[in-house]
Amino acid sequence: MILISTVGARTRASAAAVAAGSLLTLFAGCGDSGDGGGSAGTAQTPHGYVEGAEETAEAQWRLVLGDAHGGRVHSLDPATGKSTQVAEAPGLTAMRTDGRFAYLATGKAVRILDTGVWTVDHGDHVHYYRAPARTVGDLNATGASGAAGDPGVTALATGGAVRVLDRKALDGGDVREAATVAGRVAVPYAEHLLIGSDETGHVTVHDRKGHRVARLPEPCPEPRGQATTRRGAVLGCADGALLVTARDGTFRGEKIAYSGTVPDDERALEFRHRPGADVLAAKAGDKGAWVLDVAARKWSRVGTGVPALAVNAVGADSPVLLLDRAGVLRSYDPASGKEEARSELLKNADGAQPAPTIEVDTARAYVNDPAGKAVHEIDYNDDLRLARSFTLPFAPAQMVETGW
């Protein structure tokens, strides 16, 4: 049963308008290959072309799902509702993504899956690609606590070491390490690497080969969690977050501190957000969810007193989503903290290991339901309306969304 109650719902701009604008920009900005030449009737290589891939007019979202039993990994296409087995990862314990590749931690190694969908962002326009999914190979590492990438490298946090992977090699089907750097949290940013370390309590800047080139003076004790936004890179710290920006090769850190003392069991440990968006969400232990508005340099809380299984943030002037232990999905206004809608979505949600996940893109949110053997598609702009439920022949214990 799906029960939806509305609490002060607002009208928001349609995500379709955003997508249409992006599509117009794509066509307007990619008229030729950029070589300034060419003649009528002569085939040209499209700008941003990737060999072996098909360029599409819109983003190709995929939900990568880990079977709770047997380690089979499936790809679900929300456009068609079709799921396909794409890999095997026996002993799968965690799943991370950099937008294209899924990193499947098994306890013995990290298996790398090219999910076959990705976006190339040129700043003023965007290209979308689609290719067959394939297993690239295994990385000799245990665990995968975080993954962040750019066109050059992906930084994979594995315990106390950051494994820096060559993205061009991954694109070609080869696992190649560019560097290994000691650290807890890592973000590729401005053609460098930002590394947060328990040992130093500071964020250091490294080149792509792992060599340290600078240390930011602002402290960041016990770094946990990271995000990349349009306004800079964010690293979580015991006393708040550090926003890092770069200009003309110079890196600057700005602390966004909590407004008061936050107990260890309530601090933000993992940021969740729509890729590129400037509003971040994180679980606050059993006390609801943190909301970090990067543009406003401000922390706030929503759902105080509601123990969260999963959270995510759609973006500025858009809802923050929280799935509670009773399986109720809630929507909050990030500015006022007011609950706007709720939906009794999952049964037997509490106790699931790992906990269900909320993924968001430009139009929909997705919640995996291991007990119900389904993934639920939610229209977060329409009072958490259940748009569709994808029934599956397996229990989707892990989930990430790729294509961004």
Side-chain angles (χ1 to χ4, degrees):
M1 176 182 71
I2 302 296
L3 172 65
I4 298 179
S5 64
T6 305
V7 186
R10 301 176 305 199
T11 300
R12 298 185 179 90
S14 170
V18 177
S22 298
L23 185 58
L24 289 173
T25 304
L26 186 156
F27 289 140
C30 300
D32 57 38
S33 63
D35 60 5
S39 58
T42 301
Q44 297 183 6
T45 301
H47 181 45
Y49 174 74
V50 177
E51 186 174 358
E54 173 192 356
E55 186 167 4
T56 66
E58 58 187 11
Q60 300 295 302
W61 308 113
R62 294 291 185 275
L63 297 169
V64 184
L65 306 168
D67 190 342
H69 308 287
R72 291 177 293 273
V73 178
H74 302 255
S75 175
L76 173 63
D77 182 352
T80 64
K82 181 180 178 181
S83 67
T84 306
Q85 183 177 335
V86 291
E88 290 190 3
L92 180 65
T93 59
M95 187 182 294
R96 298 289 185 269
T97 186
D98 56 16
R100 171 177 176 176
F101 296 91
Y103 300 90
L104 315 173
T106 65
K108 297 180 179 179
V110 176
R111 179 153 294 175
I112 302 175
L113 171 69
D114 183 349
T115 67
V117 288
W118 67 96
T119 297
V120 178
D121 189 346
H122 292 288
D124 61 342
H125 64 280
V126 180
H127 295 264
Y128 306 108
Y129 291 99
R130 177 175 59 203
R134 60 177 176 173
T135 298
V136 179
D138 292 346
L139 181 68
N140 185 18
T142 57
S145 58
D150 66 10
V153 298
T154 286
L156 186 66
T158 59
V162 174
R163 312 291 285 273
V164 184
L165 305 179
D166 185 318
R167 277 295 291 266
K168 186 175 181 180
L170 286 179
D171 292 348
D174 182 29
V175 180
R176 188 180 307 162
E177 287 192 61
T180 300
V181 183
R184 178 68 65 172
V185 175
V187 185
Y189 182 68
E191 300 183 3
H192 287 74
L193 294 166
L194 307 176
I195 306 291
S197 170
D198 284 336
E199 286 70 25
T200 66
H202 285 261
V203 172
T204 51
V205 182
H206 300 248
D207 64 22
R208 294 305 173 91
K209 294 183 179 180
H211 301 132
R212 176 173 151 177
V213 297
R215 188 186 85 158
L216 300 182
E218 297 79 11
C220 183
E222 302 175 20
R224 300 290 187 276
Q226 80 287 324
T228 304
T229 75
R230 295 286 185 181
R231 298 179 183 272
V234 176
L235 294 90
C237 315
D239 54 357
L242 190 69
L243 173 64
V244 181
T245 55
R247 184 173 182 178
D248 299 328
T250 299
F251 290 80
R252 176 177 178 266
E254 180 181 353
K255 178 59 69 69
I256 307 176
Y258 293 124
S259 58
T261 301
V262 174
D264 289 344
D265 61 354
E266 294 180 23
R267 63 165 290 198
L269 296 175
E270 181 181 7
F271 295 112
R272 304 281 295 158
H273 66 132
R274 181 171 55 80
D278 295 333
V279 176
L280 315 178
K283 291 190 290 185
D286 289 336
K287 303 294 179 63
W290 287 108
V291 180
L292 175 57
D293 186 330
V294 179
R297 311 295 200 266
K298 179 183 178 182
W299 289 94
S300 60
R301 285 208 208 194
V302 299
T304 303
V306 179
L309 288 179
V311 299
N312 215 322
V314 177
D317 300 320
S318 295
V320 172
L321 306 179
L322 183 154
L323 180 71
D324 70 22
R325 289 182 179 173
V328 177
L329 183 65
R330 302 165 184 258
S331 172
Y332 296 90
D333 181 318
S336 68
K338 182 180 179 181
E339 183 180 314
E340 298 184 309
R342 64 173 65 182
S343 168
E344 293 184 5
L345 189 63
L346 305 187
K347 295 180 180 179
N348 303 316
D350 197 12
Q353 292 295 328
T357 300
I358 303 172
E359 295 287 347
V360 295
D361 56 38
T362 53
R364 293 289 190 264
Y366 298 93
V367 181
N368 60 315
D369 182 357
K373 292 187 176 181
V375 171
H376 304 293
E377 182 183 72
I378 304 298
D379 186 345
Y380 52 72
N381 282 320
D382 189 14
D383 302 327
L384 301 182
R385 176 178 61 86
L386 178 65
R388 291 178 293 176
S389 287
F390 303 105
T391 302
L392 303 168
F394 61 93
Q398 292 97 356
M399 180 176 72
V400 296
E401 186 174 23
T402 64
W404 46 273

